[in-house]
Amino acid sequence: MRNVIAFIEHKNGQARRVSLEAASTARAVADLLGGTAHAVIVGGDAATIAQQLQTYPLDAIHILADAGAEKLIDPAVDALTSVAQAAGPSLILVGNTMIGRDVGSRFAARVGAGVNADVIEIVVDGGRVACLSPKLGGLTITTCAFKSDYGVAAIRPNVFAAKQAAGAAQIVAIAPSGKAYAVTVEEEVEEAAAELGVEEASVVVSGGRGMGGPEPFKTILRDLADALGGAVGASRAAVDAGWISHGHQVGQTGKTISPQLYIAVGISGAIQHKVGMRTAETIVAINKDGGVPIGEFADLLVVGDAFTIVPELAKQVRDAKAVHA
Amino acid sequence: MKLVPDTNADKRIDPATKRLVRTGVETVLNPFDEYAIEAALQLKEKLADGSTVTIVSMAPETGKEIVRKALAMGADNAVMLSDPAFAGSDVWGTAYALAAGIRKTGFDLVLTGTQSTDAITGELPGALAELLGVPGITYARTLAFSDGRIRVQRETETGYQAVSAPLPVLVSITKSAAEPRYPSLKGIMGAKKKELVLLRLADLELTAAVGGDGAKVELIELAAPPARGKGRVVAAADGAAGAKAIVDFLKERKLL
């Protein structure tokens, strides 16, 4: 494979952060391969998103400006396939997200491409592309090389840099497939405020069993997350108790994340949870019990009452930020 | 459905062989797949039109008893793709062989979990739908069938989409769909008499290689991640002191 194609997810007229990371990485890997870097955008806003992508050093941005196509998987797979086949053997970068995995896996099955999921590093050795991914909850890191002409790498959000640089990407229209799609989206419902998910946030404040109920997730944890510009996460115990929705769950049956800062409040840190957050750069835990397992791998464990520490912390963080501003 | 090492076990890699230590770790049904089985059983019970639920699993023959657990929950029969030749299959090879097994069995609706607790790639449902040549609807938290269409609420990062598609279709089911039932004693007894078919590589009449030879990716190296040691522990007398300890630490790390 010589060329690299980034599949761009977007919503409300904005490209997703992980997609910008994919665009920037596409350039970096294409340079190592001596090939070209591309982006593929589908949906009614494709032209607007393409303009945003022009601040990244790509060679071509392919758009399918078809309203509603961004809601379905099939049009994206068709668009990606047509661009990939025109480009020749190439590496496809998608986000390791719900949509990225769907589009990537279907594309891969269609063209017989290898797939590497949850990729944290891409290496090129003698023209061969290999991906590093944590497996078994970060217990081991595998390096897997592609044996196929095409390859798909689903990159973990927040790990690759999104470097803007002057580029002269051409915007190219993708010919519509002309297919009628069997899946119909009848309604799209927003249940949560448009906030950054735990996978993409650089700071995550999570609550566990020690929160005792749903209230702290809406009040003190949310407030601390807001002060730090982050997202609210939760342990399985909190989600199973119905205190917060499953989308916020960090851990083995939830999401695996790598934020810069992870603050675990009232979470013991059992293996179930640990595998979802142990690759955070910095881990801070607040717990009333000094003997909890999280103390064995947190960078800082503060033993005390979360209900007084968390609000005070939000205040002190705001004060510290005000000094800088 | 997939068989995986018990999720509650603390998994270890043998430093010498670089393989997962399986000794003393029980093999269980992938917890994510139990939601799909439950959704299948509920739909069958609701339709009550003679529809049947078949369990399809790629697993060594030794996994039979675990597949029987799904039969004990209420599935009608099971098909196991068991052949040493399947070992080492990647996402593509697994989806390719499963698609052949499912086609041979016949289907209107294929339900899967959203991911497995061991590999967690989440790539299988999409690949399987593609290789079956049917539409795929992922992350469904509800499942219904009316006017000839499967209707689901498909979870998104911020809410859901109401989605429908005609049969045949593949749907992956999330854990918010329904709590899986426990097999009843009657179910367990009955499961022993239910049909469990073993399909070998030759039965699938595949045209492309599966297993390690057919894999589109190749494992080059296994490495241990950088170790995470025990950090600082601070006892906080009150909220202000605890908060200050954290703020000082964040400043030290240039996070504030």
Side-chain angles (χ1 to χ4, degrees):
Chain A
M1 50 190 78
R2 270 176 62 83
N3 304 312
V4 188
I5 302 168
F7 174 72
I8 308 299
E9 287 179 53
H10 57 94
K11 198 168 183 183
N12 304 326
Q14 289 291 326
R16 270 186 91 155
R17 194 184 152 77
V18 67
S19 297
L20 300 176
E21 292 162 4
S24 172
T25 307
R27 172 82 273 156
V29 178
D31 286 348
L32 293 173
L33 291 166
T36 50
H38 306 252
V40 170
I41 311 167
V42 300
D45 287 337
T48 314
I49 306 296
Q51 282 176 3
Q52 292 169 21
L53 263 289
Q54 280 188 311
T55 58
Y56 290 83
L58 297 161
D59 296 300
I61 300 171
H62 308 262
I63 62 169
L64 178 69
D66 191 352
E70 71 278 6
K71 293 191 167 126
L72 298 169
I73 299 303
D74 291 315
V77 177
D78 286 339
L80 187 55
T81 307
S82 87
V83 172
Q85 283 174 344
S90 38
L91 173 69
I92 316 301
L93 300 179
V94 298
N96 194 46
T97 58
M98 294 168 91
I99 291 172
R101 282 189 296 260
D102 276 3
V103 171
S105 61
R106 260 204 108 112
F107 166 82
R110 187 169 298 179
V111 304
V115 180
N116 277 305
D118 201 14
V119 172
I120 56 165
E121 195 180 335
I122 298 171
V123 291
V124 176
D125 186 9
R128 203 163 181 226
V129 179
C131 297
L132 277 70
S133 310
K135 295 278 165 67
L136 298 166
L139 191 65
T140 181
I141 294 173
T142 59
T143 304
C144 290
F146 292 106
K147 288 175 17 184
S148 45
D149 290 343
Y150 289 90
V152 174
I155 64 170
R156 182 186 283 201
N158 259 329
V159 175
F160 292 86
K163 276 193 220 123
Q164 293 190 330
Q170 274 183 287
I171 297 181
V172 190
I174 300 169
S177 72
K179 281 191 214 165
Y181 296 104
V183 176
T184 320
V185 177
E186 278 139 21
E187 196 188 3
E188 178 111 32
V189 181
E190 297 290 318
E191 291 180 317
E195 57 172 290
L196 210 53
V198 287
E199 280 170 299
E200 281 175 284
S202 55
V203 177
V204 175
V205 178
S206 276
R209 198 188 302 273
M211 296 291 88
E215 271 314 299
F217 291 90
K218 295 176 210 147
T219 54
I220 57 171
L221 296 178
R222 157 95 351 245
D223 188 50
L224 177 58
D226 286 346
L228 289 161
V232 175
S235 72
R236 179 175 163 172
V239 171
D240 284 354
W243 298 343
I244 188 164
S245 67
H246 178 233
H248 296 265
Q249 188 182 322
V250 174
Q252 192 160 38
T253 51
K255 295 190 164 119
T256 304
I257 61 172
S258 305
Q260 278 176 12
L261 172 63
Y262 188 82
I263 302 184
V265 187
I267 294 177
S268 67
I271 186 70
Q272 274 269 358
H273 190 70
K274 183 181 177 184
V275 299
M277 42 65 86
R278 71 168 131 200
T279 53
E281 264 174 52
T282 297
I283 299 172
V284 172
I286 303 171
N287 209 293
K288 65 178 194 298
D289 177 2
V292 282
I294 204 164
E296 296 304 313
F297 59 96
D299 299 291
L300 173 69
L301 168 64
V302 174
V303 183
D305 174 27
F307 293 94
T308 54
I309 294 172
V310 172
E312 184 62 35
L313 180 57
K315 182 175 161 287
Q316 290 191 21
V317 164
R318 287 201 171 94
D319 289 348
K321 285 194 170 176
V323 173
H324 288 294
Chain B
M1 50 170 260
K2 183 176 181 181
L3 309 187
V4 296
D6 188 353
T7 48
N8 293 315
D10 197 352
K11 300 177 198 82
R12 286 186 303 117
I13 298 278
D14 184 324
T17 63
K18 293 193 171 176
R19 280 175 181 272
L20 180 65
V21 178
R22 289 191 182 267
T23 329
V25 178
E26 204 188 337
T27 300
V28 297
L29 211 125
N30 174 32
F32 285 97
D33 295 343
E34 293 191 25
Y35 301 104
I37 297 168
E38 179 61 36
L41 296 175
Q42 286 192 12
L43 186 64
K44 175 191 151 171
E45 287 158 5
K46 205 164 170 193
L47 292 173
D49 61 354
S51 295
T52 56
V53 176
T54 301
I55 302 296
V56 179
S57 181
M58 180 194 276
E61 229 176 302
T62 49
K64 259 184 177 173
E65 290 321 303
I66 300 156
V67 172
R68 288 227 183 263
K69 187 193 162 190
L71 293 175
M73 285 171 74
D76 297 282
N77 52 18
V79 174
M80 282 181 76
L81 276 54
S82 299
D83 197 303
F86 296 137
S89 291
D90 62 354
V91 171
W92 183 86
T94 306
Y96 178 61
L98 281 173
I102 291 168
R103 255 194 236 108
K104 206 175 163 72
T105 309
F107 70 100
D108 297 305
L109 172 65
V110 177
L111 300 182
T112 68
T114 52
Q115 57 184 244
S116 60
T117 52
D118 55 350
I120 327 189
T121 65
E123 306 275 353
L124 199 274
L128 184 55
E130 181 68 30
L131 292 169
L132 284 169
V134 300
I137 304 175
T138 46
Y139 308 104
R141 64 178 194 186
T142 62
L143 179 72
F145 181 71
S146 63
D147 306 324
R149 292 178 81 86
I150 284 290
R151 295 170 198 279
V152 313
Q153 285 185 3
R154 175 177 186 264
E155 283 183 8
T156 62
E157 317 256 352
T158 51
Y160 71 89
Q161 294 176 329
V163 180
S164 77
L167 298 173
V169 64
L170 176 144
V171 179
S172 77
I173 304 287
T174 68
K175 68 176 278 193
S176 356
E179 202 50 41
R181 66 191 67 185
Y182 286 102
S184 64
L185 189 60
K186 190 170 157 239
I188 294 167
M189 298 310 289
K192 291 176 184 158
K193 288 182 233 113
K194 286 180 178 167
E195 183 189 39
L196 193 159
V197 177
L198 292 172
L199 290 181
R200 308 295 182 191
L201 178 66
D203 298 323
L204 297 180
E205 295 161 45
L206 303 177
T207 50
V210 291
D213 290 344
K216 312 285 185 192
V217 292
E218 173 185 16
L219 177 67
I220 297 179
E221 201 188 340
L222 266 173
R228 251 212 129 95
K230 191 176 165 74
R232 232 179 278 172
V233 179
V234 175
D238 57 23
K244 185 168 186 307
I246 296 170
V247 165
D248 288 347
F249 177 76
L250 295 183
K251 282 183 178 164
E252 198 182 296
R253 290 237 170 169
K254 308 262 181 275
L255 286 164
L256 253 188

